[in-house]
Amino acid sequence: MPGKLDALSRHALDVFKQKGILFREYLETLEDAELLKELMQKFNLICLCQHDGKAAFCVPSVAPAMIPGMELEASKMDLNVPSLFVTFPRQLVPMSLFTKLQVKLISEWEKRFPKQQATPSFYCNYSLLPLIIDGDVYDVCLIDLHEFIKVAVFPKHEDGNHFKFASHFKATLKKCLDDLKSPDQLLFSMTSYDLEVECTCCFGKDEGKCSRHHEIQCHSDRCGHRHFWKLSDLQRFYNDKSPAVCRSDKRLSKLFDIKSVKIWLNT
């Protein structure tokens, strides 16, 4: 990098630091620019985008953070599609996984369904990905909640084929996560994961005040009982026609409605 930057280079560097946007024309001025681009693409650090009408790369790991809070969690009350949760054995999102997953997911979706026209929005802890399938648009929010990753889906049109989208999206998400487990991605703490859904029998029904928001029956994803069902278990129950019994409340067992998350199962 040159020791003294001209005005355009200073502007490009400021945009990169403040927004995580790397202009292509600025990248090409750097030493070994092509090699640098190949390395960043290999490790899922950048994806193509447009900024101010110019060709650029989005770099989520450098992007600012969206302020965390309940407004970040995309309440399931507004959804037609139940949210998915990517959970990990240590109850902690592996370092660097989230930003790589953002890049990998949009890249893999474009391979399956080319000519994606909508522009994603990236933060280092949140992304809004408008994914298009058969002309239908689904806003997919990825949210890094430290203990797990929440995936909230907002269909733009109620009459879309939500089951088809969910099937393709789940397959794409699993492929991305499996690929990111590869040793060459250098995510050494990424050993395994599960896809889960919230248990509606007990979630947000805790009679005591939560420690984060001091609310009774708090609906924040990180508070309350935080009881989740693994999709693999629900799939087995569905295939065997067995009940899914929530035993979070020791005084009373409740049946979880598997059909409420049927969209994420192989039916």
Side-chain angles (χ1 to χ4, degrees):
M1 185 181 296
K4 190 174 182 180
L5 300 177
D6 57 30
L8 287 177
S9 295
R10 282 198 301 272
H11 171 69
L13 193 57
D14 287 342
V15 171
F16 176 64
K17 291 179 178 178
Q18 295 169 13
K19 299 183 178 181
I21 299 295
L22 179 61
F23 287 113
R24 182 192 289 270
E25 62 182 7
Y26 176 70
L27 175 62
E28 291 173 351
T29 66
L30 303 180
E31 187 176 353
D32 296 323
E34 194 61 31
L35 176 60
L36 180 60
K37 184 180 75 171
E38 289 179 8
L39 285 172
M40 289 192 292
Q41 288 175 328
K42 176 182 178 181
F43 290 105
N44 296 290
L45 298 176
I46 60 173
C47 61
L48 288 169
C49 68
Q50 290 280 326
H51 185 78
D52 291 341
K54 296 181 179 180
F57 296 97
C58 184
V59 191
S61 58
V62 183
M66 179 175 278
I67 298 174
M70 293 188 68
E71 73 283 355
L72 184 67
E73 298 184 21
S75 171
K76 64 185 179 66
M77 300 296 184
D78 302 324
L79 301 181
N80 293 328
V81 179
S83 294
L84 278 181
F85 293 83
V86 186
T87 62
F88 306 92
R90 297 180 181 178
Q91 297 184 344
L92 189 68
V93 178
M95 186 178 296
S96 301
L97 170 66
F98 184 76
T99 53
K100 286 174 176 279
L101 179 60
Q102 296 178 74
V103 172
K104 185 72 173 174
L105 186 58
I106 194 68
S107 174
E108 287 296 327
W109 191 262
E110 287 179 341
K111 289 179 183 178
R112 287 177 178 242
F113 303 98
K115 299 181 180 179
Q116 297 286 312
Q117 298 175 345
T119 302
S121 298
F122 291 100
Y123 293 81
C124 66
N125 61 341
Y126 171 91
S127 60
L128 172 60
L129 311 177
L131 303 182
I132 302 173
I133 178 173
D134 296 341
D136 292 323
V137 181
Y138 293 81
D139 283 344
V140 175
C141 295
L142 294 183
I143 309 162
D144 183 354
L145 293 173
H146 303 296
E147 293 101 321
F148 44 77
I149 295 172
K150 180 173 183 176
V151 183
V153 179
F154 299 88
K156 287 287 191 179
H157 306 287
E158 292 185 3
D159 57 351
N161 190 338
H162 301 340
F163 276 81
K164 180 178 180 179
F165 171 81
S167 176
H168 281 285
F169 178 78
K170 186 177 75 168
T172 305
L173 178 63
K174 290 181 69 174
K175 183 183 186 308
C176 292
L177 290 166
D178 289 340
D179 288 350
L180 290 171
K181 285 197 304 179
S182 172
D184 64 5
Q185 287 296 313
L186 305 181
L187 292 173
F188 301 117
S189 59
M190 174 61 173
T191 56
S192 63
Y193 67 90
D194 283 298
L195 298 182
E196 307 190 7
V197 292
E198 287 174 345
C199 178
T200 52
C201 296
C202 60
F203 180 80
K205 298 176 183 177
D206 195 348
E207 296 179 358
K209 290 185 178 181
C210 71
S211 59
R212 283 189 173 91
H213 307 102
H214 307 291
E215 294 182 5
I216 296 176
Q217 297 185 350
C218 181
H219 278 81
S220 169
D221 294 308
R222 301 173 67 195
C223 297
H225 287 295
R226 268 184 41 195
H227 176 210
F228 296 107
W229 289 101
K230 293 182 180 180
L231 285 188
S232 57
D233 289 338
L234 293 177
Q235 185 70 61
R236 178 165 48 83
F237 293 149
Y238 181 85
N239 294 342
D240 297 342
K241 297 182 179 179
S242 302
V245 182
C246 172
R247 294 188 172 87
S248 292
D249 188 341
K250 296 180 180 179
R251 298 168 298 177
L252 180 66
S253 296
K254 298 180 181 179
L255 290 181
F256 175 72
D257 182 10
I258 298 179
K259 291 182 179 179
S260 67
V261 295
K262 186 178 177 181
I263 194 169
W264 295 118
L265 302 179
N266 300 323
T267 58

